[in-house]
């Protein structure tokens, strides 16, 4: 899940399109959601939004607001496809549960029983980790998200590279959100089914639930006649950006589902039901219970199989958000009330969270604090802290601390087993480090350290090590801040 970047003030045209057969809800004032969306679109500069709601099991809202792509006239409607990001994780949990129902997997059997070549950095975790551990974020592995943005891999190669990523906790010590373990879970489910995970999702989830518009790749969404483009918001302007291509990095079960509010309302209704759809069993009662049962906890929150569990106003809630390049999303369910909301957005903003939280507060009768304004204030404060941190970092530059060697001496090929070969080139007064899918632009800091800023990792300070003969032999970069820096070495490996 990529963290959203939130900025301020732009209003776009509002358009609505109701689902056929839409039924009006009794008590809740739907106009408050319309007002929240309009307010949030102004504050966060979101080009397009779609919202769907179920109250007492009935569809009371399925609307599009704004446009699919900045600068184009096509409006968002209830069938417009968005990337839902990490909400995909509940689909992965469901896919694994389907394989358990089929007798092809067991939640508590070690993964190596099904994938003998599977290895993690920690040999104890390798030996003991189960599908339940993968789905419950308790592997001990820190996020290591950089690999899923930097390095083109096949699914098999991705699984092989995991053994080179260091954990920061012991196995089952704590809850620690991890996209990579959800990739393994989806890969495992597809392997057990004898298909790709994409085919498994289509055949065993989308088709039985009637999710006729949903798919699992950047290629498929762009072939649809009705899809939203991803946007980046900078200086209060939303600009279209390329789709993030999960499959090119060997991943996807962590966040690749593309869906619409019309399809997602069917999905949310299923999760507030009994494991059936149109009178047919999709998941057995046992596995339907399993996917919503807590596996791990983090403070007042628990985590099931792709669902965050909270309790508010005496009700048990299932929630999850999603964020990937150019898209954010959120779902929230109150199963006891057969009530749910889904909010999809084609920009990296906090709009889905703000609209969802406002709805929950109003619907549950909790004290109301407008989350649109609250999040906006928090983001403004975070930007001020970031600016102060940048100033402090620049103040740390020493007046007489040149690099030991000319820039050309640091250039060349570097290698790490997790990332493979990367290339460093001298560019003007800096160094560029080229991964498959991105380039880090380093500028000299002090002595043999160079700094770069990456949207995913933030500021990076790379350090070069020289041997006794004055030759550059190692490049150390903190690509995952919770573990030791990655050490790249010279030469072909």
């Amino acid at each position: 899940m990529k963290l959203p970047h939130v900025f301020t003030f732009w209003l776009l045209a509002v358009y609505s399109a109701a689902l056929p057969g839409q039924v009006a809800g009794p008590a809740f004032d739907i106009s408050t959601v319309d007002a929240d969306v309009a307010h949030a679109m102004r504050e966060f500069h979101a080009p397009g939004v779609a919202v769907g709601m179920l109250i007492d099991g009935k569809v009371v809202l399925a609307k599009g607001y704004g446009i699919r792509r900045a600068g184009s006239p096509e409006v968002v409607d209830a069938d417009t496809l968005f990337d839902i990001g990490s909400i995909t994780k509940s689909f992965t949990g469901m896919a694994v549960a389907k394989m358990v129902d089929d007798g092809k997997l067991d939640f508590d059997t070690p993964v190596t029983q099904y994938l003998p070549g599977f290895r993690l950095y920690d040999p104890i975790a390798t030996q003991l980790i189960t599908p339940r551990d993968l789905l419950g974020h308790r592997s001990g592995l820190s996020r290591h998200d950089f690999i899923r943005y930097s390095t083109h891999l096949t699914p098999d190669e991705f699984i092989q590279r995991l053994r080179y990523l260091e954990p920061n906790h012991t196995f089952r010590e704590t809850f620690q959100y991890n996209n990579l373990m959800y990739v393994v879970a989806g890969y495992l489910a597809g392997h057990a089914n004898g298909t790709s995970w994409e085919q498994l999702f289509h055949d065993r989830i989308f088709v039985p639930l009637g999710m006729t518009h949903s798919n699992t790749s950047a290629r498929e969404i762009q072939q649809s006649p009705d899809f939203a483009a991803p946007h980046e918001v900078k200086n209060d302007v939303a600009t279209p950006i390329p789709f993030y291509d999960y499959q090119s990095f060997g991943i996807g079960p962590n966040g690749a589902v593309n869906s619409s509010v019309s399809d997602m309302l069917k999905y949310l209704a299923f999760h507030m039901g009994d494991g059936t759809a149109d009178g047919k069993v999709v998941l057995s009662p046992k596995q339907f219970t399993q996917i919503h049962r807590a596996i791990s906890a983090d403070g007042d929150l628990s985590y099931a199989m792709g669902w965050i569990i909270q309790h508010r106003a005496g009700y048990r809630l299932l929630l999850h958000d999603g964020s990937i390049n150019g898209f954010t999303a959120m779902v929230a369910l109150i199963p006891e009330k057969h009530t749910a909301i889904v909010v999809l957005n084609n920009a990296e903003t906090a709009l889905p969270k703000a609209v969802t939280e406002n709805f929950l507060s109003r619907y549950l009768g909790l004290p109301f604090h407008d989350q649109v304004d609250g999040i906006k204030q928090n983001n403004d404060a975070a930007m001020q802290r970031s600016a102060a941190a940048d100033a402090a970092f620049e103040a740390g530059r020493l007046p007489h601390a040149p690099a030991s060697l000319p820039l050309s001496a640091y250039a060349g090929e570097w290698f790490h087993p997790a990332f493979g070969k990367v290339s460093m080139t001298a560019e003007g007064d800096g160094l560029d480090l080229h991964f498959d899918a991105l380039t880090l632009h380093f500028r000299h800091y002090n002595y043999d350290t160079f700094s770069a800023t990456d949207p995913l990792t933030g500021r990076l300070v790379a350090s070069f090590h020289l041997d006794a003969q004055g030759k550059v032999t190692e490049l150390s970069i903190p690509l995952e801040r919770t573990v030791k820096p990655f050490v790249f070495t010279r030469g072909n490996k």
Side-chain angles (χ1 to χ4, degrees), residues 304-317:
M305 296 183 183
W307 294 102
I308 296 167
I309 302 171
Q310 289 185 351
H311 291 83
R312 303 187 194 181
Y315 293 102
R316 184 176 188 263
L317 276 61

Side-chain angles (χ1 to χ4, degrees), residues 18-19 27 42 54-55 109 135 172 176 205 230 249 257 260 354 399 410 420 431-432 457 470 485:
L19 274 177
R42 287 194 302 271
L54 291 158
I55 293 183
T109 295
L135 297 168
R172 291 182 185 160
Q176 188 165 234
I205 302 177
F249 299 97
V257 167
S260 63
Y410 304 94
L431 294 167
D432 285 357
T457 61

Side-chain angles (χ1 to χ4, degrees), residues 427 430-434 438-443 450-453:
E427 304 291 343
L431 294 167
D432 285 357
L433 184 59
H434 306 278
L438 59 81
T439 296
L440 297 176
H441 304 285
F442 286 97
R443 296 297 175 263
F450 293 74
S451 67
T453 300

Side-chain angles (χ1 to χ4, degrees), residues 25 41 46 89 219 236 247 253 305 338 368 370 394 445 491:
M41 290 178 76
K89 290 180 172 63
R219 175 183 57 81
D236 298 348
Q247 277 77 4
M305 296 183 183
H338 297 284
F368 185 80
D370 186 358
E394 289 303 316
Y445 188 57

